[in-house]
Amino acid sequence: MSSEKGNVARRRPQRHQNARAFKNDKYDTSARLKKINAKLHDGVCQHCKGILEWRVKFSKYKLLSKPKKW
Ligand SMILES: [Zn+2]
């Protein structure tokens, strides 16, 4: 398998590359998505913030169905 241990040197270039970067608002132009895109992730550490921003960018972010109670 190509992912076998030790087999890390890529011998050929990536065959297909997206001509355009993925855009999460290309098809989904809903108010929900706009809200998600505008959301600021505060109250979390840098690491978690990076994860949340990644999730938003690739449309993998889901709003909490119930707001978290403190
Ligand atoms: Zn964290």
Side-chain angles (χ1 to χ4, degrees):
M1 218 171 99
S2 61
S3 62
E4 76 190 80
K5 205 176 171 187
N7 184 16
V8 288
R10 190 182 263 273
R11 285 178 193 84
R12 57 162 179 84
Q14 185 170 316
R15 194 155 297 177
H16 298 287
Q17 187 155 27
N18 292 337
R20 262 172 279 266
F22 179 84
K23 279 195 77 198
N24 71 357
D25 55 359
K26 191 174 179 187
Y27 302 110
D28 183 354
T29 53
S30 63
R32 188 188 60 90
L33 181 83
K34 288 202 186 89
K35 193 176 155 192
I36 289 171
N37 278 343
K39 194 173 175 67
L40 290 170
H41 306 287
D42 44 11
V44 295
C45 71
Q46 269 308 314
H47 176 77
C48 294
K49 196 176 168 177
I51 292 170
L52 289 172
E53 280 167 359
W54 182 92
R55 293 186 72 84
V56 168
K57 194 175 173 195
F58 294 102
S59 294
K60 299 194 184 293
Y61 186 78
K62 300 263 185 338
L63 291 167
L64 293 171
S65 52
K66 281 183 217 160
K68 193 173 181 177
K69 280 186 221 148
W70 294 100

